Amino acid sequence: MIKFDKVQQLIERENLDALLVMNGYNRRYLSNFTGSSGALVITPKGRYLISDFRYKAQGAEQAQDFEFVLQQGSLLDFTASFMKSKNIKRIGFEGEHVNYNTYSRIKEDFDTVPLTGEVEKIRLIKTEAELDLIQKACEIADQSYEYILTFVKAGMTELEVKNELEAYMTKLGASGPSFDTIVASGHRGALPHGVASDKVIESGDMVTLDFGAYYQGYASDITRTFGVGSVSPEMEKIYNVVLESQLKALDEIKAGMSGKEADAVARDVISAHGYGDNFGHSLGHGFGLEVHELPGLAQKSTMTLEPGMCVTVEPGIYVDGLGGVRIEDDTLVTESGLKKLTHSSKKLFIV
C-alpha cells in the first residue's frame, strides 16, 4: 500500500529502527484501528499494534496489516519493553503529539528523533476509499442545511437550532458533529467562532451556521449565512462581497498554487471592496480524519496544493456591533482546479 511505502521511505530517510505512532488519528489512518488506546511500532520488517485486553478482538479484526501485541501493564512501559526486545535503538516519534512525560520515558532507553507533521504529510493525499467517506459526510451536511432552513424561525435560541441540526445529521447516519456547531445570529455573527448560545434569534438577524458531520471517521465542514425575516442593505452588500470572493476562489484555485497564493485570490476581492481588515482568518484548511488538518490556505502558507488534497474555501467578513457573513464549501484539489464536494445553495435565503 502507498501509505506504508511512504512510511518506509520516512524510516529509511531518518535512519530509524522504528517509527512509534501514538496519536489517535495517525494510528487510525495507518492501521484502521479505532480503539481509544494503543501504539503502533513500525520497523523495516514488521508492523505491530500494541493495545490492552479491551481491544484484543477489535484490534486483530481492524488492523489486519499489523500483528496485534497484547499489552501488559502500562502502555508506555510495555511499548518501551517491547521495542527493546526487538533490539530497537533509534525511534522516530510524533514531535507535536508526544507529551513531556512520554518523551522523558522513551528517551531513557532510545535515541529519539522528533518527526513533527511527517505522518500528517502522508495523510495529505486522500485515497478513493477516503474520498467516498468524505463525500458522504458532505452529503449529510448538505441535506441537513436544506432541512434546517425549514426549521429555523424568529424566537428560537441558537442552541435550539444547533441541537436540531446535530440530531438531524445523526438521523442521516453521522456518528456526530465534526466540531462544536457554530450558530451566530445578529451581532454575534461578528464572532468567527461564535458557538451556539442561548441568544434568541430575532427578525432582521443574519445567522451564520458553521457545522459538519463525522461519517465513519471522516469529516465535513460547511458554512452558510442566511437572513431571518429581512436583511439590512449593508448586510446584503457584505453577503454579496463574500460570495463574490468565494466564487472567484472556487474558480481560480488549482494544483500548483501555494496556500498563500490561494488565500490571496479571495482576500484581494474582499480588500478591493474595503473590508480587508474585517477578514481576519485564513481562507481555508485541509480536512479528512480531522476537521482541521494540512494543508492551510493562509497568508503564510508555502505548502503547494496537489491533486488529491481536500481543502475548505471559507472567506468571511465580520463587523463588530453589526454582524458577519461566512460562506464555506468543501473541495477536492484536482489537476484542473477545485471540485466542490458540498453543493448547498448560496443564494441569500430569507426564512
Side-chain angles (χ1 to χ4, degrees), residues 166-184:
E166 292 181 353
Y168 195 78
M169 288 194 293
T170 303
K171 182 179 179 180
L172 294 179
S175 60
S178 53
F179 57 95
D180 199 0
T181 298
I182 292 170
V183 184

Side-chain angles (χ1 to χ4, degrees), residues 141-158:
D142 277 336
Q143 293 173 39
S144 298
Y145 179 66
E146 183 177 344
Y147 165 74
I148 208 67
L149 289 177
T150 70
F151 175 81
V152 177
K153 60 184 178 181
M156 290 180 173
T157 66
E158 294 172 349

Side-chain angles (χ1 to χ4, degrees), residues 48-110:
Y48 308 93
L49 165 61
I50 300 170
S51 192
D52 61 67
F53 179 81
R54 295 172 297 168
Y55 299 116
K56 183 177 179 181
Q58 178 182 335
E61 178 183 356
Q62 291 180 329
Q64 295 187 7
D65 294 312
F66 287 73
E67 177 183 335
F68 184 84
V69 180
L70 183 61
Q71 163 193 337
Q72 304 290 337
S74 78
L75 176 61
L76 186 55
D77 286 340
F78 181 83
T79 300
S81 296
F82 175 80
M83 290 192 294
K84 288 172 69 176
S85 75
K86 295 293 182 181
N87 201 32
I88 291 169
K89 301 184 184 301
R90 179 177 168 87
I91 64 170
F93 69 95
E94 303 151 294
E96 75 274 45
H97 300 305
V98 169
N99 63 35
Y100 178 79
N101 289 342
T102 299
Y103 172 69
S104 297
R105 176 65 185 85
I106 60 177
K107 76 171 185 175
E108 291 177 3
D109 297 313
F110 307 98

